[in-house]
Amino acid sequence: MAVTLEKFLNQYFYFVMSLLVAAVVVAGFGPTIDTRLLHPRSARPVILYVHAAIFTGWVIFFILQTALVSQRNARLHRALGWWGAVLGAAIPVAGVATAIAMGCLAGHHGDDDAAFLALSFYDMLAFATAFGLAIHWRRKPEFHRRLMLVATCGLTGAAFARIMPATAPIEWVYVGADSFILLGMVRDLLTMGRIHPVYRFALPASVLGQTMALYLFLSQPRVWLTITHRLIG
């Protein structure tokens, strides 16, 4: 039986978005797995492997949960939710620890490397905020599903950065992640005729946070460099 556009947007949109996220992650990180994780030229910190496992687990979990919702299996979706809460709570912790550990590697103590922590820290803060709100509003499906999408899209920045052409300006690094949120907004307009408050607040807040993170990275104010150099030694 053919799937109409209306049915696709109402029943399968978030599942398809989860597959798009997975595709971007594979395209961005897949080519570097062998040289950076499996057979690196120099030893990598253990936390990097922990972070990779947690991040991969989250992407798989997001696909599974959206698939369950698309099949109307809300009972199993809720039963697995607490496992997702633990996994999601581990992402910012592992992400920040990994960013600091990679910054501490020999030869990674320049101002650019120290200032770059702004992007890593922002990504984790953005995820933690959207994820925390999604857990808080877990009994409000229309809020929960959008916040989970926003949280997961926020994790794709690093993958999009690896896909971008080398000549592209660094300011474009978040265009891909924001475009995913825009797709959610378009879906709302087509199905409801309006944009849900989650997106109306999330996208401007994301752009503001991204702008501040890029400012810290590109302008490298002395206060920020002092803090980050202390973190990476």
Side-chain angles (χ1 to χ4, degrees):
M1 183 173 63
V3 177
T4 64
L5 177 61
E6 181 180 3
K7 183 175 183 180
F8 166 77
L9 293 175
N10 284 317
Q11 187 170 347
Y12 298 109
F13 174 78
Y14 291 97
F15 174 62
V16 171
M17 288 301 298
S18 73
L19 297 181
L20 286 176
V21 167
V24 169
V25 169
V26 170
F29 290 101
T32 66
I33 289 178
D34 184 64
T35 57
R36 296 192 178 184
L37 284 178
L38 301 180
H39 302 97
R41 293 183 179 180
S42 58
R44 292 290 188 262
V46 174
I47 188 62
L48 177 62
Y49 296 91
V50 174
H51 173 63
I54 293 174
F55 182 81
T56 301
W58 176 262
V59 173
I60 295 172
F61 178 79
F62 187 59
I63 294 173
L64 173 62
Q65 288 292 74
T66 55
L68 289 173
V69 171
S70 72
Q71 297 303 310
R72 312 298 192 196
N73 195 339
R75 183 177 180 180
L76 182 55
H77 175 87
R78 288 193 295 267
L80 294 176
W82 291 109
W83 292 100
V86 173
L87 188 62
I91 286 179
V93 177
V96 170
T98 301
I100 294 173
M102 294 302 291
C104 289
L105 289 177
H108 283 242
H109 298 94
D111 285 351
D112 286 346
D113 299 298
F116 185 78
L117 287 179
L119 303 187
S120 299
F121 287 1
Y122 165 74
D123 290 349
M124 294 302 100
L125 176 61
F127 174 85
T129 301
F131 173 75
L133 290 172
I135 296 299
H136 177 71
W137 281 316
R138 62 189 179 278
R139 299 188 186 280
K140 296 183 177 182
E142 295 303 318
F143 282 78
H144 177 77
R145 69 180 65 180
R146 288 172 174 83
L147 285 164
M148 280 298 190
L149 178 63
V150 170
T152 305
C153 289
L155 296 176
T156 62
F160 273 116
R162 288 164 170 77
I163 299 173
M164 284 169 43
T167 55
I170 187 63
E171 290 84 356
W172 291 11
V173 69
Y174 289 114
V175 170
D178 291 345
S179 295
F180 276 2
I181 298 176
L182 281 171
L183 287 177
M185 298 171 75
V186 171
R187 182 261 179 196
D188 279 3
L189 287 173
L190 292 174
T191 58
M192 304 188 305
R194 61 182 177 84
I195 298 173
H196 193 276
V198 165
Y199 293 139
R200 285 195 277 116
F201 283 95
L203 186 57
S206 295
V207 172
L208 177 60
Q210 293 159 6
T211 301
M212 293 176 65
L214 285 166
Y215 166 77
L216 292 175
F217 173 51
L218 297 173
S219 298
Q220 302 182 3
R222 182 50 51 189
V223 173
W224 178 242
L225 290 179
T226 299
I227 294 171
T228 52
H229 274 297
R230 287 180 179 177
L231 286 174
I232 65 176

Short mmCIF file of all heavy atoms in Angstrom, two decimals, residues 20-36 55 155-164:
data_model
loop_
_atom_site.label_atom_id
_atom_site.label_comp_id
_atom_site.label_asym_id
_atom_site.label_seq_id
_atom_site.Cartn_x
_atom_site.Cartn_y
_atom_site.Cartn_z
N LEU A 20 18.90 9.62 8.48
CA LEU A 20 19.73 10.68 7.90
C LEU A 20 20.87 11.04 8.84
O LEU A 20 22.01 11.25 8.40
CB LEU A 20 18.87 11.92 7.63
CG LEU A 20 17.93 11.86 6.42
CD1 LEU A 20 17.09 13.14 6.34
CD2 LEU A 20 18.73 11.67 5.13
N VAL A 21 20.57 11.12 10.14
CA VAL A 21 21.62 11.39 11.13
C VAL A 21 22.68 10.30 11.05
O VAL A 21 23.89 10.58 11.03
CB VAL A 21 21.03 11.47 12.55
CG1 VAL A 21 22.14 11.43 13.59
CG2 VAL A 21 20.20 12.74 12.71
N ALA A 22 22.25 9.05 11.01
CA ALA A 22 23.20 7.93 10.94
C ALA A 22 24.05 8.01 9.68
O ALA A 22 25.26 7.75 9.70
CB ALA A 22 22.45 6.61 11.00
N ALA A 23 23.42 8.36 8.55
CA ALA A 23 24.14 8.46 7.28
C ALA A 23 25.22 9.54 7.36
O ALA A 23 26.35 9.35 6.87
CB ALA A 23 23.17 8.77 6.15
N VAL A 24 24.90 10.68 7.97
CA VAL A 24 25.88 11.76 8.11
C VAL A 24 27.03 11.33 9.01
O VAL A 24 28.20 11.60 8.72
CB VAL A 24 25.20 13.03 8.67
CG1 VAL A 24 26.24 14.07 9.09
CG2 VAL A 24 24.26 13.62 7.64
N VAL A 25 26.71 10.65 10.10
CA VAL A 25 27.74 10.19 11.03
C VAL A 25 28.67 9.19 10.34
O VAL A 25 29.91 9.28 10.47
CB VAL A 25 27.09 9.54 12.27
CG1 VAL A 25 28.15 8.83 13.11
CG2 VAL A 25 26.39 10.60 13.11
N VAL A 26 28.10 8.26 9.59
CA VAL A 26 28.93 7.27 8.88
C VAL A 26 29.79 7.96 7.82
O VAL A 26 30.99 7.67 7.69
CB VAL A 26 28.03 6.20 8.22
CG1 VAL A 26 28.85 5.32 7.28
CG2 VAL A 26 27.36 5.35 9.29
N ALA A 27 29.20 8.90 7.07
CA ALA A 27 29.95 9.61 6.03
C ALA A 27 31.07 10.45 6.63
O ALA A 27 32.16 10.56 6.05
CB ALA A 27 29.01 10.49 5.21
N GLY A 28 30.80 11.04 7.80
CA GLY A 28 31.80 11.91 8.40
C GLY A 28 32.91 11.18 9.13
O GLY A 28 34.09 11.52 8.99
N PHE A 29 32.55 10.17 9.90
CA PHE A 29 33.53 9.49 10.74
C PHE A 29 34.03 8.17 10.16
O PHE A 29 35.11 7.71 10.52
CB PHE A 29 32.95 9.23 12.13
CG PHE A 29 32.76 10.46 12.96
CD1 PHE A 29 31.51 11.05 13.10
CD2 PHE A 29 33.84 11.05 13.60
CE1 PHE A 29 31.34 12.19 13.86
CE2 PHE A 29 33.68 12.20 14.36
CZ PHE A 29 32.42 12.77 14.49
N GLY A 30 33.22 7.56 9.26
CA GLY A 30 33.60 6.27 8.71
C GLY A 30 34.99 6.21 8.10
O GLY A 30 35.78 5.31 8.42
N PRO A 31 35.36 7.18 7.25
CA PRO A 31 36.68 7.12 6.61
C PRO A 31 37.86 7.26 7.57
O PRO A 31 39.00 6.95 7.21
CB PRO A 31 36.65 8.31 5.63
CG PRO A 31 35.19 8.54 5.38
CD PRO A 31 34.52 8.26 6.69
N THR A 32 37.61 7.75 8.80
CA THR A 32 38.72 7.99 9.73
C THR A 32 38.83 6.93 10.81
O THR A 32 39.74 6.98 11.64
CB THR A 32 38.56 9.36 10.40
OG1 THR A 32 37.39 9.36 11.25
CG2 THR A 32 38.43 10.47 9.37
N ILE A 33 37.90 5.96 10.83
CA ILE A 33 37.91 4.96 11.90
C ILE A 33 39.22 4.18 11.92
O ILE A 33 39.81 3.96 12.99
CB ILE A 33 36.71 4.00 11.74
CG1 ILE A 33 35.41 4.73 12.09
CG2 ILE A 33 36.88 2.78 12.65
CD1 ILE A 33 34.17 3.88 11.92
N ASP A 34 39.69 3.76 10.76
CA ASP A 34 40.90 2.93 10.72
C ASP A 34 42.13 3.72 11.16
O ASP A 34 42.91 3.24 11.99
CB ASP A 34 41.11 2.39 9.30
CG ASP A 34 42.29 1.45 9.23
OD1 ASP A 34 42.25 0.38 9.88
OD2 ASP A 34 43.29 1.79 8.55
N THR A 35 42.31 4.93 10.63
CA THR A 35 43.53 5.68 10.92
C THR A 35 43.52 6.36 12.28
O THR A 35 44.58 6.60 12.86
CB THR A 35 43.75 6.76 9.83
OG1 THR A 35 42.59 7.61 9.77
CG2 THR A 35 43.99 6.11 8.48
N ARG A 36 42.35 6.66 12.81
CA ARG A 36 42.29 7.39 14.08
C ARG A 36 41.90 6.54 15.27
O ARG A 36 42.17 6.92 16.42
CB ARG A 36 41.31 8.56 13.95
CG ARG A 36 41.76 9.59 12.93
CD ARG A 36 40.93 10.86 13.04
NE ARG A 36 41.38 11.87 12.09
CZ ARG A 36 40.88 13.10 12.02
NH1 ARG A 36 39.92 13.47 12.85
NH2 ARG A 36 41.33 13.96 11.13
N PHE A 55 28.63 7.26 21.70
CA PHE A 55 28.05 8.03 20.61
C PHE A 55 27.38 7.10 19.60
O PHE A 55 26.25 7.35 19.15
CB PHE A 55 29.14 8.86 19.93
CG PHE A 55 28.65 9.74 18.82
CD1 PHE A 55 28.06 10.96 19.07
CD2 PHE A 55 28.78 9.35 17.49
CE1 PHE A 55 27.61 11.77 18.05
CE2 PHE A 55 28.34 10.14 16.45
CZ PHE A 55 27.75 11.37 16.74
N LEU A 155 24.47 16.79 17.70
CA LEU A 155 25.68 15.96 17.74
C LEU A 155 26.32 15.76 16.37
O LEU A 155 27.40 15.16 16.27
CB LEU A 155 25.35 14.58 18.33
CG LEU A 155 24.89 14.54 19.78
CD1 LEU A 155 24.51 13.11 20.17
CD2 LEU A 155 25.98 15.06 20.71
N THR A 156 25.66 16.22 15.32
CA THR A 156 26.15 15.97 13.96
C THR A 156 27.15 17.01 13.47
O THR A 156 27.69 16.86 12.37
CB THR A 156 24.98 15.89 12.96
OG1 THR A 156 24.29 17.16 12.95
CG2 THR A 156 24.00 14.79 13.35
N GLY A 157 27.39 18.06 14.26
CA GLY A 157 28.28 19.12 13.80
C GLY A 157 29.65 18.62 13.40
O GLY A 157 30.19 18.99 12.35
N ALA A 158 30.23 17.77 14.25
CA ALA A 158 31.58 17.25 13.96
C ALA A 158 31.59 16.40 12.70
O ALA A 158 32.55 16.42 11.92
CB ALA A 158 32.10 16.45 15.15
N ALA A 159 30.51 15.62 12.49
CA ALA A 159 30.43 14.79 11.29
C ALA A 159 30.29 15.66 10.05
O ALA A 159 30.97 15.43 9.03
CB ALA A 159 29.25 13.83 11.40
N PHE A 160 29.43 16.67 10.11
CA PHE A 160 29.28 17.58 8.97
C PHE A 160 30.60 18.30 8.68
O PHE A 160 30.93 18.58 7.53
CB PHE A 160 28.18 18.60 9.25
CG PHE A 160 26.81 18.14 8.88
CD1 PHE A 160 25.83 17.97 9.85
CD2 PHE A 160 26.48 17.88 7.55
CE1 PHE A 160 24.54 17.56 9.50
CE2 PHE A 160 25.20 17.46 7.20
CZ PHE A 160 24.23 17.29 8.18
N ALA A 161 31.35 18.63 9.73
CA ALA A 161 32.63 19.33 9.54
C ALA A 161 33.60 18.49 8.73
O ALA A 161 34.41 19.03 7.95
CB ALA A 161 33.24 19.67 10.89
N ARG A 162 33.52 17.18 8.87
CA ARG A 162 34.41 16.29 8.12
C ARG A 162 33.95 16.09 6.69
O ARG A 162 34.73 15.68 5.84
CB ARG A 162 34.51 14.94 8.85
CG ARG A 162 35.33 15.01 10.13
CD ARG A 162 35.11 13.79 11.02
NE ARG A 162 36.05 13.76 12.12
CZ ARG A 162 35.96 14.50 13.21
NH1 ARG A 162 34.97 15.38 13.34
NH2 ARG A 162 36.87 14.41 14.17
N ILE A 163 32.67 16.35 6.44
CA ILE A 163 32.13 16.21 5.08
C ILE A 163 32.32 17.48 4.27
O ILE A 163 32.44 17.44 3.04
CB ILE A 163 30.62 15.86 5.16
CG1 ILE A 163 30.43 14.53 5.88
CG2 ILE A 163 30.01 15.80 3.77
CD1 ILE A 163 28.98 14.19 6.15
N MET A 164 32.35 18.63 4.96
CA MET A 164 32.48 19.92 4.29
C MET A 164 33.73 19.97 3.42
O MET A 164 34.76 19.39 3.77
CB MET A 164 32.56 21.04 5.33
CG MET A 164 31.25 21.42 5.99
SD MET A 164 31.48 22.52 7.43
CE MET A 164 32.72 23.66 6.79
#
